[in-house]
Structures are given as structure tokens and as C-alpha cells.
Amino acid sequence: GRLGDLDGVIHEKGNILEGMSIKDKILVIPCGKGSNGFSAHFKSSKFMGICLAGWVVTKIDSRLGAAIASLEVPAVSDFDDIDPMTIIETGDFVTIDGDTGIVEIAKKK
């Protein structure tokens, strides 16, 4: 997928989120994608003032670890008993606490 470094918009053709901005959003993803350069796109968007509010990650890997650490935003990861990808839907209001690992979800209307 491609994230616009200057605008924080998802530009991946065919992605259901194509055209949406990541600014102030909780990104819910199963794992990282591509190389460790994956994190550079998120860091560039942060420099432009367009940053995620946090991450919910089914299973963390080195690509995501680098991205999460470089953005300095909260993250909750490594779910064993449930898959957040099957529970959280686009438009849900999600609050996370990276210290306790608590994820709260208010379903969209």
C-alpha cells in the first residue's frame, strides 16, 4: 500500500480506505507490509503535521515496531484470544491505552 508522505492520505489503488487521511486516526491493522521502509512513510507524514493517534495491531513485527517507536504514539498489539480486525470497523470510535493494553470501542451508528 502507499501512504502519501506529504498528505497522509492512503493512495493504494483498490484499498477500501483509498482517499482517506490517517490524521488523528487509530490505525487497526493485522501486521506490517513491505520492508522496514514502511515506517518511513508514517514518519514523513508526522513531520508534515499529519500523524496517527495510535495503533491497534493484531501481531507486531519489526516493520511495525520501527513505525510505532518513531511516531511516539500509543499502541496496543499482540492479541492472542481475539482478532481486532474482526471486531473494529471503519468509523468506530476507538480509544486505546498503550500502558495498560486496554482498547475501548464505541460502534458507529
Side-chain angles (χ1 to χ4, degrees), residues 3 5-6 11 17 19 44 52 61 64 67 70-71 76-77 79 84-85 87 92 98 100 103 106:
L3 173 69
D5 293 358
L6 303 178
H11 294 285
L17 302 178
S44 294
L52 292 171
D61 56 24
L64 280 168
S70 69
L71 292 183
V76 178
S77 67
F79 295 82
M85 295 291 299
I87 298 170
D92 288 348
T100 64
V103 177

Side-chain angles (χ1 to χ4, degrees), residues 34-87:
S35 69
N36 277 340
F38 164 90
S39 64
H41 296 289
F42 291 97
K43 187 67 172 186
S44 294
S45 64
K46 181 177 180 173
F47 286 140
M48 296 304 296
I50 306 159
C51 191
L52 292 171
W55 304 79
V56 174
V57 181
T58 304
K59 267 305 185 213
I60 199 162
D61 56 24
S62 61
R63 296 168 290 219
L64 280 168
I68 290 167
S70 69
L71 292 183
E72 300 174 326
V73 296
V76 178
S77 67
D78 294 330
F79 295 82
D80 291 325
D81 52 345
I82 60 169
D83 181 357
M85 295 291 299
T86 63
I87 298 170

